[in-house]
Amino acid sequence: MDVSGDAGSTGEIPGILHLDMDAFFASIEVRDDSRLQGLPVVVGGAGARGVVAAASYPARTRGIRSAMPMASARRLAPDLVIVPPRIDLYRQISARVMELLGDVVADVEQISVDEAFLDVRGARRLFGPPEQIAELLRRRIREELGLPSSVGGSVSRAVAKIASARAKPDGMLIVPAARTAEFLAPLSVSVISGVGPRAQDALARIGVRTIGQLREIPRSTLTRALGPRAPEIAALADGSDRTGLGRRTRDKSLGTERTWDEDLTDPAEVRRCITQMADDVARQLRRGGFVTRTVVLKLRAPDGATITRSSTLDQPTSSGERLREQVVSLWERERSAMRRVRLAGVRATHLEPASGTPVQSELNARAAGWQDLEAAMDRALERFGTRSLGRGSTLSAVPDGTQRSPASPTSGPGTGPTGQPGPVGPHTTDRDGR
DNA sequence: TCTGGGGTCCTAGGACCC
DNA sequence: TCTGGGGTCCTAGGACCC
């Protein structure tokens, strides 16, 4: 079916574009090392429990997909090239891509590291119809950054996203308004963003596999199968979805987690790791100019069973000491039940901008002390990298007095602008008091 | 050598208040 | 006396996305 081209009888302009970088991480690695050209390349962890974060197109033709366990990928391609991720570099390039988009189109909504929606209806006078704008953007990204991208266009963002996926690699597909239904009908419901394995199962049970079939189903049946999300998905299926671009929303949570190749069995070791994670999260908060009110500890047992335990402070904070206290007290409640730990993580939620948070009036001397010290450490870390500093004994708030190993190399030099250390509330306590 | 790490959003139950 | 209902906050879990 040729869906690109004529404007369609409704006359509505397919002015919502979705731009998606092709195999983003893998494309960057291939660009930077010409020997990788044409080879099955994946970016990801090479360890026993590693998974594929991104796969080059030669790797994809062998059946390799992102999120696949690395062991399976190796079986599919014994000559697989595994490249460790360079997240900071990807982030820098991502920022550059978004800048390029912003130079052409005023209304850009970044939705992940490698994709964005653009509303180009206001840019037509200057740059022409959506097709022309899409080609301009793709050409600039290729010329300036040496990277391939794909663009989908439609009257709705959901359909634009589906179109960009079908334009890959290195292509463009604009769906005219009048041909939206025709375009969607044969596609699997799984292409809809928000329809994952569970929703697919639920739909399959009522005999629905394609978007065309979805459109024929009575609304009441759909609601029984999908629950409250039914109207949204139905609107997409019949082409009436007109969700506009949202303004980029502020970060809502931030955290770090780690899966070990071999399960941790020593509670002291777990505690050491999560206190280090708490420090890392606190540093990210300060760098981003945030404070948090709720700290979440996540633990996964060897059988995959996952629990989360959270604790809400009565004053927001970005202090590593506060976060460590919370996380350790949450761990103390669970350690007897969790004998072996496959994964542990620390996350801060209910983020607020640090500047908008009232500083507590009575800073005691010790609190002011650690606040200054943590800010000084942040500055040193920004300049010299994480390995340059371990926490000294003056700040050893780890209750069991365990020696802390040097911090993990999660934030190398040049990871971002120095953040303003935010005001912190030093008198926060664990609300549930355990 | 069977499943990572970063997130968002939603739901449900209990506590607590009025 | 023996019991409603709404609102909000907190906690926990799960589906889903890249």
Side-chain angles (χ1 to χ4, degrees):
Chain A
M1 174 172 86
D2 171 26
V3 287
S4 58
D6 73 81
S9 57
T10 70
E12 193 179 351
I13 296 150
I16 307 295
L17 301 185
H18 179 253
L19 183 138
D20 202 349
M21 302 299 291
D22 297 332
F24 188 47
F25 301 170
S27 296
I28 291 171
E29 298 301 338
V30 173
R31 178 196 74 176
D32 289 355
D33 184 351
S34 55
R35 294 170 304 174
L36 301 181
Q37 198 80 46
L39 297 180
V41 175
V42 295
V43 173
R49 286 169 172 166
V51 298
V52 175
S56 71
Y57 280 86
R60 290 181 197 209
T61 61
R62 314 276 281 273
I64 294 167
R65 297 286 179 271
S66 54
M68 180 179 275
M70 199 58 83
S72 316
R74 276 210 192 89
R75 273 196 296 276
L76 288 167
D79 55 335
L80 191 67
V81 180
I82 302 172
V83 183
R86 295 189 286 170
I87 300 295
D88 290 337
L89 173 65
Y90 308 152
R91 263 196 267 240
Q92 283 169 28
I93 296 176
S94 169
R96 187 68 198 118
V97 169
M98 298 305 151
E99 250 177 63
L100 281 174
L101 300 182
D103 287 347
V104 176
V105 181
D107 206 353
V108 179
E109 181 192 356
Q110 178 174 2
I111 57 170
S112 76
V113 70
D114 67 343
E115 55 182 325
F117 283 111
L118 304 96
D119 185 344
V120 302
R121 287 173 297 186
R124 294 176 71 232
R125 189 164 297 179
L126 229 52
F127 297 107
E131 290 82 351
Q132 220 163 299
I133 297 173
E135 278 311 315
L136 172 67
L137 296 172
R138 292 191 339 105
R139 192 173 67 241
R140 286 203 181 169
I141 290 170
R142 174 169 289 290
E143 285 171 357
E144 279 214 31
L145 300 171
L147 294 171
S149 59
S150 298
V151 175
S154 166
V155 293
S156 97
R157 52 189 285 157
V159 178
K161 188 163 160 62
I162 292 169
S164 71
R166 305 193 76 74
K168 283 175 174 297
D170 202 13
M172 174 185 83
L173 177 58
I174 309 290
V175 182
R179 306 187 68 172
T180 302
E182 183 189 346
F183 167 68
L184 292 174
L187 304 182
S188 161
V189 292
S190 65
V191 305
I192 301 171
S193 180
V195 175
R198 298 294 165 130
Q200 279 171 61
D201 285 353
L203 288 169
R205 280 196 291 276
I206 57 171
V208 171
R209 289 191 168 71
T210 67
I211 299 180
Q213 290 166 341
L214 182 59
R215 198 159 52 212
E216 305 300 317
I217 290 290
R219 181 60 67 92
S220 56
T221 311
L222 201 57
T223 302
R224 274 198 300 280
L226 295 178
R229 291 163 60 230
E232 192 190 320
I233 288 169
L236 169 63
D238 69 16
S240 63
D241 166 68
R242 289 293 182 282
T243 311
L245 264 59
R247 283 315 327 145
R248 198 166 5 146
T249 52
R250 204 180 71 221
D251 290 353
K252 297 199 165 78
S253 76
L254 164 172
T256 184
E257 64 185 59
R258 180 171 169 196
T259 298
W260 286 276
D261 286 350
E262 290 186 15
D263 304 323
L264 298 189
T265 52
D266 177 5
E269 179 72 14
V270 175
R271 181 199 193 110
R272 222 167 8 249
C273 291
I274 62 177
T275 52
Q276 202 164 296
M277 287 176 178
D279 272 335
D280 188 52
V281 168
R283 198 178 311 125
Q284 288 187 60
L285 287 170
R286 293 190 294 268
R287 192 189 302 161
F290 292 114
V291 288
T292 179
R293 235 159 57 74
T294 305
V295 184
V296 184
L297 174 68
K298 177 175 170 181
L299 297 166
R300 179 168 297 156
D303 67 357
T306 307
I307 61 165
T308 59
R309 293 292 179 264
S310 64
S311 131
T312 296
L313 306 156
D314 49 20
Q315 287 293 323
T317 187
S318 63
S319 147
E321 178 166 320
R322 286 283 95 77
L323 265 50
R324 289 198 303 275
E325 284 169 11
Q326 297 307 308
V327 145
V328 165
S329 90
L330 291 168
W331 165 241
E332 291 303 327
R333 285 153 56 179
E334 301 303 326
R335 54 180 282 182
S336 54
M338 264 281 173
R339 310 311 290 251
R340 302 173 70 90
V341 174
R342 187 212 294 187
L343 169 152
V346 173
R347 173 163 296 274
T349 69
H350 296 144
L351 303 192
E352 298 165 21
S355 52
T357 307
V359 192
Q360 201 146 3
S361 51
E362 294 177 36
L363 291 173
N364 65 36
R366 178 160 169 274
W370 61 246
Q371 194 176 334
D372 291 349
L373 245 161
E374 289 189 335
M377 279 183 53
D378 287 346
R379 287 192 293 276
L381 289 169
E382 295 293 344
R383 285 170 59 195
F384 305 119
T386 317
R387 284 202 179 284
S388 62
L389 278 186
R391 184 177 294 277
S393 57
T394 53
L395 269 182
S396 175
V398 184
D400 65 0
T402 313
Q403 265 308 317
R404 294 171 49 82
S405 52
S408 65
T410 46
S411 99
T415 51
T418 305
Q420 332 81 299
V424 286
H427 295 295
T428 52
T429 51
D430 186 352
R431 184 167 282 178
D432 55 19
R434 258 177 289 182

